[in-house]
Amino acid sequence: MLKQLLFLFWLAFSAITLAEPRATGDLGLIIERESGSALIVNTTEHKQLARIENLGDTSHASVVFSRDQRYAYLFARDGGLSKIDLLQDRLVKRIVQAGNSIGGAISQDGRIVAVSNYTPGGVKLFSADTLEPIADIPAEYGASQRSKVIGLADAPGQRFIFSLFDAGEIWLADVSDHQKPSLEKFKNIGKQPYDGLITPEGRYYVAGLFGEPGMSVLDLWHTEAGAKHILPNYIKEDEKLPVFKMPHLEGWAMAGDYVFLPAIGKHEVLVIDSRTWQLVKAIPVLGQPVFVRARPDARQVWLNFAFPDNHQLQIIDVKDLAVSNTLEPGKGVLHLEFSPRGEQVWVALRDDNQVVVYDSYHLKELARIPAKKPNGIFFSARAHQIGL
Amino acid sequence: MIIRGLLLLLLIMARNTYAEPSAERQAALRELVQQDCGACHGLTRKGGIGPSLLPDALTAKTDDYLITTILNGRPGTAMPPWRSFISQVEAEWLVDNLLRK
């Protein structure tokens, strides 16, 4: 009897100690755009670990991670900000902080989460810990109008940087004093900045312009020089092709000194030398690029396309600055994400209800993971990258 | 002569009432509005970089104005022309049956 009891104790005890501890460094989130849900996935095992629900309108969503890689912060279209625990597979908290939002960022020290909003236009700051509001930065311009805010990124020195779509301005907010962000505004930076990126070391902020050709570049080491309009003549008004989806600059596409950016209204990827900000080459591609992303080893750049070419992917070989491959992974290619060292790339196929994983060196398919209308893939390695 | 005229009229009326896309095209258009228009106007059409396309937001606007916007786009804004993918008849159906409802 005693022996049996002891055995039972031992069983129970070992079950507890044997419960696998989980690391979060190789996890990711796949957003499901129509069901307000997200999958937590293990990128080593190509496995779904959990589905987190009740995330609101995730038809457009993006994610940043806490520096300990335990929590994911998800910014949803409906103004929802959700904090997800990757260790315990649960939604910790969700708030709705605006009517319509587009993206977010996490501060250098990991304590502040910032959200960029369309309505009411502006940026709001929250405690990363509790999601309690810290400060509000209304994007006011002209005669007290509010501008949609896009291209929000973290900048070194505990700052956030973002662009005002309607106002044509770039704002730099220093949030060292949490309650009282101090603002520096750069005006007349160009018409309708539609998205922005910060280079991997955090020095340059590039805002792509929609309302006129070119981009606006701000050197954060020399803010006194103001923003510089580059490539103002790369396209003529009469050669512009219709753009059926706005490109994204989120996720840097830097390879060595070269920045790879989508052209707007031209089926090209622009290669720009970041030392001079001059055009090195315009690489013809098969459609309007949406995401242009460099593999971490900088040898390849992968891109997807706007409607009606959104069933394809192209790969640029950086050595030749030319397209080396075209893939047709499936229908509704919405997003792609590299593993931290680039051996895998995950591609979201909205209309096929799955994510396909490629070996990016041999272009071999490694796995297909079911997901409901996936539209965004975010790996926890982003936690340690400036601007992501 | 009169009978002929009447017949012709009937024919035209019949044509008009039946001038709508096939069931298959309707499904494709529904998908297009949700996904591809949704990229700028939101999956639920409540707005994004483009304005809300919910019935309330459109009440003050005429069908013609909306159809023209869809087919020709709005130069100088992010609204692209859809005429390579959507016909006049389809745009009419889309406004009446998807956007107004």
Side-chain angles (χ1 to χ4, degrees), chain A residues 33-34 57 59 78 99-100 118 148 165 210 242-244 246 307-308 310 350 373, chain B residues 31-32 34-36 39-40 43-44 46-49 76-78 80-82 85:
Chain A
R33 75 189 299 263
E34 291 182 18
D57 178 353
S59 61
D78 58 356
N100 196 326
Y118 279 169
K148 299 188 198 74
F165 178 82
F210 189 85
V243 176
F244 294 102
M246 291 297 228
F307 173 89
N310 53 359
R350 179 191 65 203
K373 303 263 176 190
Chain B
E31 190 71 11
L32 183 84
Q34 208 180 42
Q35 305 298 353
D36 301 298
C40 291
L43 183 76
T44 56
K46 72 166 196 179
I49 203 87
T77 78
W82 290 87
F85 307 99

